[in-house]
Amino acid sequence: MNLSLVIPVYNEEESLPHLHQALHAALDNLGRSWEVIYVDDGSGDGSLAALEKLAAEDPGHVMVVELRRNFGQTAAIAAGIDHARGEIIVLLDADLQNDPADIPMMLDYIDQGYDVVSGWRKSRKDNFATRTLPSRIANGLISVTTGVHLHDYGCTLKAYRRDVLTGFRLYGEMHRFIPVYAHAVGARIIEVTVRHHERKYGKAKYGLERTLKVILDLVTVKFLLSFANKPIYLFGGAGIGLMVLSVLTLIYLMLRRILVEIPVLTSPFFLMSVMFFILGFQSILMGLIAELLVRTYHESQHKPTYTVRRVIQRQDALTSIIPVNES
Ligand code: UDP
Ligand code: MG
């Protein structure tokens, strides 16, 4: 299987037949084998029936994964990826806002050797105040914080080579951070502008509150990427900083005592100094506990602390090490 499309579906019954038609129109003449995995994320309307119908009519291309309840878009995407069999995985929304006609162009980039082709809704057709503007701010923040410079993390339409999608799990609203994870394992990323349409059927599922979640997710992702392997650098750094602050405060108090005879013990600065010391010490201990957790994580699951793109070795060198059975 060459290509798997993963599409999360939550109450999109009217869009589905149009979407499926558009997929055929875009993909049938490419000479690639493809499948589409519709993940029904606990829809309450006729979406599941519509999907069952598609699966019955087009069994060669359609797989439907029905989740037991609504788990959210990210979880639905993760479920779809777990069921996908293609070398290339393309994610898109079910609401016809993404245009399947962009997919062939994205696949060309994958063929050129890119691991991630990230769609950018340059002229986005969503409510400006509640969606487009907050999303611009969030995108700017993500770009600066993670060092992976894209304009549109939130656009679902993206194509991935399968091997950059392994090795991490998606939580919360984190599907938008897949390119960031992929970058961390060394993926080659390119951004392309894609079409974006207004929603014709159904309702948008998100509003302003999503931006807050995205920013909290960003803190998590940044922490995981920068310190997940060496948490003591963060906790220990903060701890040492606090202890230095504590000592400086104490020196200040001592000097005041000697020079202008202000008593040390009754000063609020003394309390601060003691607090800084305790906090700093605690922080270092927390860092050590985190180091234990990291070791448990890597060693219990045999997770390497690196990723290999490929190993180059001549074939005859290999056979001289591993004796081949001649029969
Ligand atoms: N979606 C989902 N589970 C949810 C919410 C949304 O699977 O809990 C799907 C939805 O059906 C659509 C995609 O995620 O295919 C994006 O949703 P929406 O169009 O509401 O988001 P927006 O395009 O406004 O970011
Ligand atoms: Mg949408």
Side-chain angles (χ1 to χ4, degrees):
M1 183 75 66
N2 181 255
L3 172 64
S4 295
L5 303 144
V6 171
I7 305 183
V9 178
Y10 181 53
N11 297 346
E12 312 278 5
E13 64 178 325
E14 287 146 291
S15 304
L16 290 168
H18 302 280
L19 173 69
H20 197 68
Q21 224 169 27
L23 290 180
H24 269 286
L27 301 173
D28 277 346
N29 299 319
L30 295 182
R32 296 174 189 266
S33 52
W34 60 275
E35 63 174 358
V36 48
I37 296 148
Y38 292 106
V39 183
D40 176 55
D41 187 17
S43 299
D45 65 350
S47 293
L48 187 63
L51 292 176
E52 278 170 346
K53 189 159 164 270
L54 289 178
E57 286 168 1
D58 188 7
H61 290 119
V62 177
M63 181 196 287
V64 177
V65 176
E66 181 192 348
L67 301 186
R68 284 189 186 273
R69 63 168 172 85
N70 178 245
F71 285 92
Q73 189 184 355
T74 298
I77 287 174
I81 293 175
D82 287 342
H83 286 83
R85 292 164 295 179
E87 300 291 309
I88 304 169
I89 294 177
V90 172
L91 309 182
L92 72 156
D93 284 345
D95 55 2
L96 295 168
Q97 290 195 277
N98 296 136
D99 195 329
D102 285 317
I103 296 173
M105 169 269 295
M106 303 175 86
L107 296 176
D108 286 342
Y109 283 103
I110 295 275
D111 288 343
Q112 284 172 32
Y114 289 99
D115 300 305
V116 178
V117 183
S118 173
W120 170 19
R121 299 163 290 183
K122 202 165 181 179
S123 57
R124 185 170 171 178
K125 307 282 189 311
D126 277 320
N127 185 308
F128 184 79
T130 61
R131 305 299 311 278
T132 309
L133 183 66
S135 143
R136 282 219 190 125
I137 297 170
N139 283 322
L141 268 177
I142 297 174
S143 174
V144 169
T145 321
T146 61
V148 181
H149 301 297
L150 297 178
H151 288 90
D152 194 356
Y153 299 86
C155 176
T156 312
L157 180 55
K158 296 185 199 298
Y160 300 91
R161 202 184 297 277
R162 172 180 210 98
D163 30 320
V164 298
L165 292 183
T166 47
F168 57 84
R169 299 248 121 217
L170 297 171
Y171 300 89
E173 285 288 319
M174 285 195 179
H175 62 273
R176 70 196 54 246
F177 293 107
I178 300 176
V180 177
Y181 283 111
H183 181 260
V185 301
R188 299 190 188 97
I189 304 177
I190 187 170
E191 187 170 52
V192 297
T193 55
V194 295
R195 281 161 269 209
H196 194 242
H197 304 294
E198 260 175 71
R199 212 181 224 285
K200 262 201 238 148
Y201 312 102
K203 284 199 295 269
K205 275 87 195 173
Y206 305 102
L208 202 54
E209 81 288 347
R210 184 192 224 186
T211 313
L212 191 68
K213 292 188 190 164
V214 169
I215 288 172
L216 291 174
D217 280 343
L218 173 62
V219 175
T220 316
V221 169
K222 174 67 184 167
F223 172 75
L224 288 178
L225 289 180
S226 306
F227 299 108
N229 278 330
K230 283 311 294 174
I232 190 74
Y233 291 171
L234 182 69
F235 289 103
I240 290 173
L242 283 165
M243 288 173 107
V244 167
L245 209 62
S246 157
V247 171
L248 288 180
T249 318
L250 209 61
I251 292 175
Y252 168 71
L253 286 172
M254 295 295 200
L255 287 178
R256 259 196 349 184
R257 175 76 186 80
I258 295 163
L259 299 176
V260 280
E261 303 214 329
I262 300 177
V264 167
L265 289 182
T266 52
S267 160
F269 281 110
F270 181 66
L271 206 65
M272 275 168 67
S273 171
V274 172
M275 256 180 42
F276 285 151
F277 192 85
I278 296 174
L279 281 177
F281 190 67
Q282 292 273 18
S283 180
I284 294 174
L285 289 185
M286 244 159 51
L288 289 173
I289 293 178
E291 286 286 323
L292 281 182
L293 290 178
V294 169
R295 277 161 185 67
T296 315
Y297 172 78
H298 280 284
E299 284 159 31
S300 67
Q301 304 182 54
H302 303 288
K303 293 233 190 235
T305 49
Y306 53 82
T307 53
V308 175
R309 196 188 300 282
R310 63 187 174 134
V311 176
I312 301 170
Q313 186 178 38
R314 273 199 357 240
Q315 206 53 43
D316 51 341
L318 251 175
T319 47
S320 66
I321 303 167
I322 309 157
V324 271
N325 256 346
E326 276 157 42
S327 53

